[in-house]
Amino acid sequence: IIRMFCVTSFSTKKLLLLTLSVTSLIFGSSILALRKKIFNNILNSQLVIEEGTAAYNAWVETPIPVYTKFYFFDMINPSDLFHSHEKPILEERGPYTFREVEKKANLTWHENGTISYRRVKFWYF
């Protein structure tokens, strides 16, 4: 009885391993054969700009804040520079930091798959 159980158990393990191997081989071969189509479908689903997609929402209004810093220089001795040709003495002013928000407005969808729009920018100090 013990010997019969071991043989049956061993055969079941072999059958399970064979089934798993064949299934993996078929799955891997089909993925390999269809890799370009699968890649293009995934790429098009993520990059095409259509209303309701994540790419569209990120394109219409950028979710990442953009900061711009401006520095100005004040000339302390302008009369000395122009009359006696001395080196200018400059004093740095800033940074003046602005947050820029950009939105697309007046979206027009064309038949050939292109979009016309007007870019609107806002700066917040």
Side-chain angles (χ1 to χ4, degrees), residues 33-44:
L34 299 172
R35 70 182 182 272
K36 281 189 178 183
K37 187 173 183 169
I38 292 170
F39 176 77
N40 286 334
N41 283 341
I42 293 171
L43 188 67
N44 288 335

Side-chain angles (χ1 to χ4, degrees), residues 90-117:
L90 301 175
E91 184 178 326
E92 182 180 307
R93 307 281 181 170
Y96 298 100
T97 305
F98 293 88
R99 182 173 56 92
E100 179 181 328
V101 176
E102 179 181 330
K103 296 180 183 180
K104 312 292 191 296
N106 300 332
L107 299 173
T108 306
W109 302 83
H110 300 289
E111 298 272 332
N112 62 359
T114 60
I115 305 170
S116 298
Y117 61 92

Side-chain angles (χ1 to χ4, degrees), residues 20-76:
L20 185 63
S21 299
V22 169
T23 304
S24 297
L25 182 65
I26 291 171
F27 180 72
S29 299
S30 62
I31 292 293
L32 188 62
L34 299 172
R35 70 182 182 272
K36 281 189 178 183
K37 187 173 183 169
I38 292 170
F39 176 77
N40 286 334
N41 283 341
I42 293 171
L43 188 67
N44 288 335
S45 72
Q46 297 299 317
L47 293 182
V48 172
I49 297 176
E50 292 178 348
E51 288 188 72
T53 62
Y56 175 80
N57 293 335
W59 176 76
V60 168
E61 185 174 348
T62 308
I64 301 168
V66 177
Y67 292 97
T68 305
K69 293 182 179 180
F70 291 99
Y71 292 88
F72 294 101
F73 294 90
D74 187 20
M75 188 181 306
I76 305 285

